[in-house]
Amino acid sequence: MTVDVNERERDMQLADKLWREYEPYIRKLCNYKLNRHKEYIDDCVQDVFAALVEALHKGTPIEYPKTWLTTVTNNMIKDIYSLASKTSDKVISLSEKDLIDDNYFWNDTGFENSNISEEQILSVKEEIVQMLNENEQRLLNERFEQKLSIVLIARRYNTTENNIYQKLFRLRSKCRKLIRDYLEQQY
């Protein structure tokens, strides 16, 4: 019985030492990676160190504490984002607001300082869409015709939301160039 108490005391002392040494680093990592879910930062930090205490009690060897804590933190952050996307209404970020409707995508294409009008852009929309490859057309259809969320599209393609944002921004730039070239040929 005394051995268990001594081992437990030693584990708690080690956990306390690691807490004092690495808590600022883990908190900074959580702050950075949970910028969209700040309400989970404190819980994440506490859960990481609770996992450390549990691992020490089980006798798990932790040779490189910073690496171990970073790995546990990243896994917890991934779980938080996964849970948040399943359980709550997604808060639309500024970049998604910019990509939320078809009109914004087509009307705000960087022609503010040119003689190309909104009506001209919308009149060639169908022709421009036909110039896109099949994957680009499907992405536009899913986002603007079917009104699917970025999260759902990312799941369909087994990729990240950030990847879908990038594809949409690149697609918007490509459409901008196609519109400019097409209208310059017309007029």
Side-chain angles (χ1 to χ4, degrees):
M1 183 88 164
T2 318
V3 174
D4 291 337
V5 172
N6 288 337
E7 284 180 19
R8 191 169 286 266
E9 182 64 29
R10 192 175 56 239
D11 291 345
M12 292 305 291
Q13 287 174 353
L14 178 58
D16 186 53
K17 177 184 178 240
L18 294 174
W19 168 267
R20 281 185 268 114
E21 187 174 348
Y22 294 112
E23 188 273 340
Y25 165 74
I26 296 301
R27 183 167 299 283
K28 186 175 181 180
L29 180 62
C30 289
N31 268 319
Y32 176 72
K33 290 196 171 189
L34 289 171
N35 62 356
R36 290 173 54 192
H37 297 287
K38 293 201 180 287
E39 67 274 15
Y40 294 113
I41 292 171
D42 289 333
D43 290 341
C44 184
V45 173
Q46 289 174 1
D47 289 348
V48 167
F49 285 95
L52 173 67
V53 169
E54 184 178 330
L56 291 172
H57 285 326
K58 288 181 179 178
T60 304
I62 300 175
E63 191 172 344
Y64 302 102
K66 187 174 183 180
T67 303
W68 189 92
L69 290 167
T70 302
T71 301
V72 170
T73 302
N74 285 327
N75 288 337
M76 287 190 180
I77 289 169
K78 187 188 298 184
D79 291 345
I80 288 168
Y81 271 99
S82 177
L83 179 65
S85 70
K86 292 176 185 175
T87 60
S88 66
D89 293 334
K90 186 175 182 309
V91 176
I92 298 174
S93 65
L94 180 61
S95 55
E96 189 170 349
K97 284 181 184 175
D98 291 346
L99 292 171
I100 201 152
D101 67 26
D102 189 44
N103 292 332
Y104 181 86
F105 184 87
W106 291 101
N107 294 341
D108 187 29
T109 51
F111 299 116
E112 300 83 23
N113 299 324
S114 72
N115 59 354
I116 299 173
S117 72
E118 188 177 314
E119 292 79 27
Q120 289 173 311
I121 293 168
L122 293 176
S123 71
V124 298
K125 177 179 156 183
E126 293 304 316
E127 289 85 357
I128 299 303
V129 170
Q130 294 306 314
M131 293 179 191
L132 302 174
N133 68 41
E134 185 179 319
N135 291 337
E136 293 166 334
Q137 288 179 13
R138 186 173 49 239
L139 180 59
L140 280 180
N141 178 278
E142 289 173 342
R143 180 67 184 140
F144 301 120
E145 300 299 321
Q146 297 177 33
K147 305 282 189 217
L148 299 180
S149 71
I150 299 293
V151 174
L152 185 57
I153 295 170
R155 285 185 189 149
R156 279 187 171 187
Y157 291 96
N158 197 24
T159 188
T160 64
E161 294 172 46
N162 199 31
N163 192 348
I164 299 301
Y165 285 126
Q166 287 177 350
K167 287 179 186 281
L168 284 167
F169 280 115
R170 287 183 188 139
L171 185 53
R172 188 167 169 229
S173 295
K174 180 177 181 177
C175 288
R176 182 181 296 160
K177 182 181 180 340
L178 288 171
I179 290 168
R180 187 179 309 276
D181 293 348
Y182 187 85
L183 289 174
E184 284 175 359
Q185 289 176 1
Q186 295 290 320
Y187 298 100

